[in-house]
Amino acid sequence: MFASIFEGFLNALKIFFTAAEYNPFHSGHQYHIEAQRRAGATHVVAVMSGNYVQRGEPALFDSFLRAEAAVRGGADLVLSLPLPWAVAPAERFAFGAAYLAVKSGVCDVFSFGCESEEPALLTQTARLLSQMDSQLRPAAAKRENQSYPALLSSLLPAPCAKILEQPNNVLGVAYIRSLEALGFSGEILPVRRTCAHDGAVPEGAFAGASYLRGQIREGKQVNSFIPDPVQPLVSRAIAAGRFTGVPEKWQRQLLAVLRLKERDDFANLPFAGGGLEDRFYQAVRKARDLNELYAAVKTKRFTHASVRRLCLHAALGVTEDICRAAPPYLRVMAVGKGGNEILRQMRGKAGLPVIQRKADVAKLDFFVQKVYALECRGTDFYHTLTECVRPCGTEMTDQIFRIGEKE
């Protein structure tokens, strides 16, 4: 796939896209980037969640800080996975990241982290699920006291069902399904995670994201688990209060916003249905904190993470119609050493508009502006949840970090 350097440098690129679930502040990020380089990547693009993440909570650090950390840690370009797809079930989350990679027009290899040591089993599971779509969707619609993972386990062969017991395997299978449905013709590269995502303790030189969040929020030292180029950025962010503190500090604000909602505001929540909107509205009226709210809304059908996502959807105004669509733009968040080469390749090849500044949005269609406005509104709320409150409008005014500029 590599061309001679004399044929022009741009023709020699092998661009890997790495999927959106990883945390650029821990050593696992560099491990993933290094694995991609060993596999032949000349350039790496990270598709990253914004200020809210798939588990249904605000991110520890804001999206611009995390994007900067990603390029300091080795990525060449960071693209944002917009809010409606970042805070979504695995199937839609994965579709959003895969769609952006395909529509970039330059993705040669799509890579993601997973727990499995058997990439072939991930692909087998993905293809089996795709073949079972006509059976799965009616069963999913009719299920009552059964979660979607439990439904899958009941229908799949034991090895495939077992592989779906791990969260990043679930995402990996969803990525493969989305890529194949989108007609992606490049390679798919799973990279085995170095430690459990929710691991309570470090594993050697690596620590999971949950452990790092807890340590930082408690004011403890974590530099030994953070890549050297990123450590000063983390220290400055913590000193400036640009991080979300312990959940108790921000959950009351989210509950307050939910209490201001009318019953009809819960009627068009994404991925809800089944009368959940009324249950949700009543729970919001009675709950004294978010843990009580989560417990009141949660059922066997709706997992804890599903309920957390629904709370964010309701608070921020994310609706079903947006979530069922596809991401409408490629939003640049940070540019690393090879980022400009990637952007030059995307000119004329990308199947979506590339946004680098607010002015790029004004000339685009209504749906682009609607999604961008939702992102801005979400960021304004996010900055009331951090230790140091920032003013409105930062989504439009914060500058894209570019390696080599203002350092």
Side-chain angles (χ1 to χ4, degrees):
M1 187 155 188
F2 290 96
S4 164
I5 192 67
F6 299 105
E7 294 172 20
F9 175 68
L10 292 182
N11 294 327
L13 303 190
K14 189 169 185 181
I15 301 175
F16 283 48
F17 271 63
T18 187
E21 77 276 15
Y22 72 85
N23 182 334
F25 284 99
H26 66 72
S27 298
H29 166 67
Q30 279 196 317
Y31 174 87
H32 197 137
I33 297 287
E34 288 165 4
Q36 292 178 317
R37 301 290 187 190
R38 288 194 300 271
T42 61
H43 292 68
V44 175
V45 181
V47 183
M48 185 182 295
S49 303
N51 290 321
Y52 302 92
V53 292
Q54 208 253 341
R55 65 182 179 274
E57 294 181 352
L60 176 63
F61 296 108
D62 70 60
S63 57
F64 283 94
L65 281 169
R66 289 178 17 256
E68 179 179 344
V71 297
R72 287 188 182 278
D76 293 293
L77 186 70
V78 178
L79 300 177
S80 173
L81 181 63
L83 172 61
W85 297 271
V87 185
E91 183 179 291
R92 294 304 294 172
F93 179 93
F95 168 77
Y99 187 80
L100 293 181
V102 171
K103 288 296 183 178
S104 74
V106 299
C107 180
D108 297 312
V109 182
F110 189 93
S111 181
F112 54 84
C114 61
E115 293 88 357
S116 176
E117 296 181 0
E118 302 178 73
L121 187 55
L122 290 173
T123 301
Q124 177 189 343
T125 304
R127 290 176 178 169
L128 185 57
L129 287 173
S130 295
Q131 293 166 10
M132 294 170 61
D133 252 353
S134 59
Q135 177 185 359
L136 275 173
R137 295 194 183 281
K142 292 178 181 177
R143 77 192 195 279
E144 294 181 359
N145 294 320
Q146 187 181 38
S147 68
Y148 191 65
L151 171 66
L152 295 181
S153 294
S154 69
L155 296 173
L156 290 170
C160 297
K162 186 169 181 59
I163 208 168
L164 294 178
E165 292 176 0
Q166 299 291 337
N168 291 106
N169 286 346
V170 172
L171 278 173
V173 167
Y175 289 133
I176 295 170
R177 292 188 67 194
S178 294
L179 289 165
E180 293 193 343
L182 290 165
F184 178 62
S185 59
E187 301 171 43
I188 298 175
L189 176 70
V191 176
R192 188 171 182 270
R193 290 182 61 94
T194 52
C195 59
H197 177 77
D198 291 322
V201 295
E203 297 178 24
F206 299 99
S210 296
Y211 173 83
L212 290 178
R213 284 194 300 273
Q215 295 294 295
I216 289 172
R217 284 168 170 163
E218 292 175 15
K220 296 180 179 177
Q221 179 59 252
V222 293
N223 276 355
S224 59
F225 302 110
I226 296 176
D228 291 344
V230 177
Q231 289 177 14
L233 177 62
V234 172
S235 297
R236 291 197 302 271
I238 292 173
R242 286 184 64 177
F243 67 99
T244 53
V246 294
E248 292 76 14
K249 287 190 174 183
W250 52 260
Q251 286 183 346
R252 181 176 289 195
Q253 287 154 272
L254 182 55
L255 180 61
V257 171
L258 291 171
R259 285 191 173 188
L260 295 174
K261 301 292 181 179
E262 302 291 341
R263 187 186 300 268
D264 288 348
D265 294 325
F266 296 92
N268 194 26
L269 288 176
F271 319 110
L276 183 68
E277 61 271 13
D278 189 63
R279 179 189 184 96
F280 203 159
Y281 176 74
Q282 295 299 334
V284 166
R285 309 288 294 173
K286 296 176 183 177
R288 293 168 295 179
D289 59 45
L290 277 193
N291 288 327
E292 282 190 12
L293 175 58
Y294 296 152
V297 178
K298 182 183 178 299
T299 65
K300 289 184 178 178
R301 179 178 176 182
F302 292 97
T303 65
H304 207 284
S306 298
V307 174
R308 292 197 302 268
R309 287 192 291 266
L310 285 170
C311 285
L312 282 179
H313 292 156
L316 302 175
V318 181
T319 53
E320 180 85 15
D321 59 325
I322 295 178
C323 290
R324 293 294 179 189
Y329 50 70
L330 294 152
R331 173 90 182 277
V332 177
M333 298 298 291
V335 180
K337 292 179 180 177
N340 288 322
E341 286 93 345
I342 300 170
L343 289 170
R344 281 198 290 272
Q345 279 234 336
M346 286 168 64
R347 290 175 192 158
K349 292 186 177 182
L352 292 173
V354 178
I355 294 175
Q356 297 194 56
R357 56 190 68 83
K358 179 188 174 184
D360 295 334
V361 180
K363 51 195 174 188
L364 299 174
D365 65 34
F366 173 77
F367 187 62
V368 170
Q369 295 188 45
K370 183 177 182 178
V371 173
Y372 183 75
L374 175 61
E375 199 81 56
C376 292
R377 186 164 65 246
T379 296
D380 291 343
F381 182 57
Y382 174 87
H383 285 308
T384 70
L385 309 179
T386 51
E387 293 290 279
C388 179
V389 176
R390 298 184 70 200
C392 290
T394 60
E395 189 70 23
M396 296 177 281
T397 59
D398 278 358
Q399 298 296 305
I400 293 173
F401 176 76
R402 299 175 188 272
I403 287 282
E405 293 185 8
K406 300 178 182 179
E407 290 192 79

